[in-house]
Amino acid sequence: MFVTHLSVTDFRNYAAAELDLVAGVNVFVGLNGQGKTNLVEAVEYLSTMSSHRVSSTAPLIRAGAGSAILRARVQASRDDERLITLELEVTSGRSNVARLNRAPLARPRDLVGALRTVVFSPMDLAIVRGDPSDRRVWLDTLVTTRWPRMAGVRADLDKILKQRNSLLKAMSGRSLRQAAPEEDATLQAWNDALARIGAELLHARLDTLADVLPHAAEAYETIAPVNNRISAHYKTALDLSGIPIGAVRETLEARLLEAMAERRREEVARGVTLVGPQRDDITLSIGDLPAKGYASHGESWSLALALKLGGFALVRADGIEPVLVLDDVFSELDETRRERLAGAVADAEQVLITAAVGADVPDFPSARRFRVQGGTVGPVEEPEVTDD
C-alpha cells in the first residue's frame, strides 16, 4: 500500500497543504523547523493514531485553530488500483473523529490498520539507550502494525491498570484493617481481567520479538561492518519456561494470576500494580555485551535502525507492504552506511524521507523531491534535458 495524496489543514505549522506522492521514494528537503517532519508525522498519525514525537494531541493543532484535519488517499498496491480515503479530525481535549471513505467510524481506533507504516527517526535511539518503556513502545508498535486489533488490547490494558491501581491505592490507605469482602471480590475481578488481556499482549510480544530478530540481525550485518552480531531477550518477572505449545496464552494467563497472588501483600502496601507486561523490558545485546551502557553512539544508532528495518522486513514477510518513513536518518550515517541503507530500502513500495540537506540522501532513481519552507511544500522541478 502507498499514499497517493496527502492533505493537512491546521496541522502543526501548516494552515493547509496538498501534495501528490508517488510509489517509490519521496524526499522532503528543508531546513530544521520548516515543517518537513510534520508531513510524515501526519501520515504516521493516520496510520497509528499516535506520533513518534508527542504523546498528546494539543501540539498537533496549529496555534489558534480549534482542530486539525488529516486526509490521505491510499492505493492498495502498485498492481491494485483500488483506493481508500482516510480522514481524521484531531481536537484537543476531545476524542478524534475518524472517517473511512467519508463514512464516520464509531471508534477512531478502527482506522488503525487501514494504512500501515514503519517509522524511524533519531528519537528511536531511545530504544537502545532509553528506559524499558521505550523498548516496550517499540515492540508494541510493531505488534499493532502486524495485528491492528492489538491497539484495542493495549487500550483495554491501560484501562484495567488504571482501575486496578485506583483500587490498590484505596486499599493501601486502609492497610491497618483487613480488606472488606467486596474489595477482595473487586480486586479478583481486575486480576482476572489483567491476566486475560496481559497474556494476550505478552503472547503477541513474545511471538513478534522471536519473529523480528532474524530480520533485525540481517539488517545489522548489512549496516555494521564489524562486531555485527546482535541478540534480544525478553525480560519479565514471570517464569516462561516449560510453556506447552498450543497453550501459550492459557499458561501465561495462569502464571500472571499466580504472580499477582504471590505479590498481593506488596501491591496493596505500595498501592500499585507490580505484575504484568507494563513492567517488562527487552535486553538488547551486541556481541556478548548489553547494548545499553556499552555500545558506542554509532553502534546504538545502527542497532536502533536495524530493529526498525527488521520490523519493516517482518511486516513485509507477513504479506503487507507498509510505508517506510525515514525521518532525518541519512544525516546520522557515513557515506558507506547511507549507500547500504539505500540499497536495503530501494524496493519498498513507498519510502518517505526527510532531510535538512538534500545531498545527504543518496540518488534514488525516479524519486520525487519536495522543498519545504515555512509551512509550505512544493515539488522540486527537474531540469529539462536538452540535446545541447
Side-chain angles (χ1 to χ4, degrees):
M1 64 182 66
F2 59 95
V3 179
T4 64
H5 186 82
L6 177 66
S7 169
V8 299
T9 302
D10 291 327
F11 180 74
R12 291 287 195 176
N13 66 329
Y14 289 93
E18 304 268 349
L19 59 155
D20 292 320
L21 303 175
V22 296
V25 178
N26 299 262
V27 182
F28 301 92
V29 179
L31 298 177
N32 292 334
Q34 300 304 300
K36 56 187 184 296
T37 294
N38 297 343
L39 295 170
V40 298
E41 182 185 28
V43 174
E44 176 193 19
Y45 203 84
L46 281 165
S47 168
T48 64
M49 297 281 291
S50 63
S51 164
H52 68 282
R53 304 165 76 192
V54 294
S55 58
S56 64
T57 59
L60 304 178
I61 303 169
R62 189 171 66 93
S67 63
I69 297 177
L70 314 176
R71 295 187 187 90
R73 187 168 63 239
V74 178
Q75 184 168 325
S77 71
R78 295 175 191 248
D79 301 323
D80 187 341
E81 295 183 355
R82 287 178 299 171
L83 297 171
I84 59 172
T85 301
L86 316 181
E87 181 177 326
L88 198 59
E89 182 177 358
V90 182
T91 305
S92 182
R94 297 207 308 259
S95 296
N96 295 336
V97 177
R99 294 179 177 84
L100 181 62
N101 291 332
R102 302 191 181 280
L105 298 176
R107 299 179 303 180
R109 75 171 185 232
D110 289 341
L111 200 65
V112 174
L115 170 66
R116 313 287 180 95
T117 56
V118 174
V119 179
F120 182 70
S121 79
M123 297 179 69
D124 287 318
L125 189 63
I127 298 172
V128 180
R129 293 189 164 185
D131 297 328
S133 60
D134 296 304
R135 287 176 283 281
R136 290 196 300 268
V137 166
W138 160 68
L139 188 55
D140 286 346
T141 299
L142 182 54
V143 163
T144 305
T145 301
R146 299 184 77 188
W147 305 299
R149 68 176 185 81
M150 294 302 296
V153 172
R154 291 168 62 190
D156 289 344
L157 179 64
D158 289 341
K159 292 176 184 177
I160 291 167
L161 288 171
K162 183 177 180 180
Q163 295 294 330
R164 190 172 188 272
N165 286 337
S166 179
L167 176 60
L168 288 170
K169 186 175 181 180
M171 293 173 70
S172 70
R174 297 189 293 274
S175 58
L176 294 179
R177 65 168 178 79
Q178 193 173 24
E182 60 270 18
E183 287 179 327
D184 281 330
T186 303
L187 181 59
Q188 186 57 52
W190 288 123
N191 289 356
D192 293 340
L194 176 56
R196 184 180 69 258
I197 296 298
E200 186 171 3
L201 178 58
L202 181 53
H203 186 195
R205 282 182 181 177
L206 292 171
D207 275 357
T208 296
L209 186 62
D211 291 344
V212 76
L213 188 57
H215 295 287
E218 183 177 351
Y220 192 79
E221 289 177 3
T222 299
I223 296 167
V226 295
N227 192 23
N228 54 15
R229 180 171 57 86
I230 66 170
S231 59
H233 174 71
Y234 194 86
K235 186 178 179 181
T236 178
L238 298 182
D239 178 10
L240 298 181
S241 63
I243 296 179
I245 298 175
V248 177
R249 278 182 54 184
E250 295 83 352
T251 304
L252 291 173
E253 185 173 341
R255 292 185 182 179
L256 279 166
L257 285 169
E258 292 169 3
M260 282 183 275
E262 290 173 0
R263 303 192 69 176
R264 173 196 160 96
R265 184 183 297 274
E266 186 181 0
E267 287 190 324
V268 171
R270 296 176 60 176
V272 67
T273 300
L274 301 175
V275 173
Q278 78 284 355
R279 303 187 71 87
D280 294 346
D281 195 3
I282 301 103
T283 301
L284 302 170
S285 300
I286 300 176
D288 297 324
L289 296 175
K292 186 174 182 179
Y294 288 89
S296 68
H297 177 80
E299 288 174 325
S300 298
W301 178 261
S302 297
L303 177 53
L305 177 56
L307 292 171
K308 285 289 186 163
L309 290 177
F312 177 68
L314 174 59
V315 176
R316 297 183 81 185
D318 287 343
I320 300 162
E321 286 288 346
V323 176
L324 177 63
V325 177
L326 300 176
D327 182 21
D328 198 22
V329 170
F330 286 96
S331 63
E332 295 283 342
L333 302 175
D334 57 37
E335 186 175 354
T336 298
R337 284 180 169 84
R338 288 177 189 172
E339 295 299 331
R340 289 181 176 182
L341 174 57
V345 306
D347 68 337
E349 193 152 74
Q350 187 172 58
V351 187
L352 307 181
I353 298 171
T354 70
V357 179
D360 287 344
V361 181
D363 223 4
F364 289 94
S366 304
R368 175 168 289 184
R369 290 182 175 251
F370 297 87
R371 174 66 61 183
V372 181
Q373 186 172 2
T376 62
V377 56
V380 176
E381 299 296 337
E382 296 294 334
E384 292 186 9
V385 178
T386 67
D387 295 333
D388 297 335

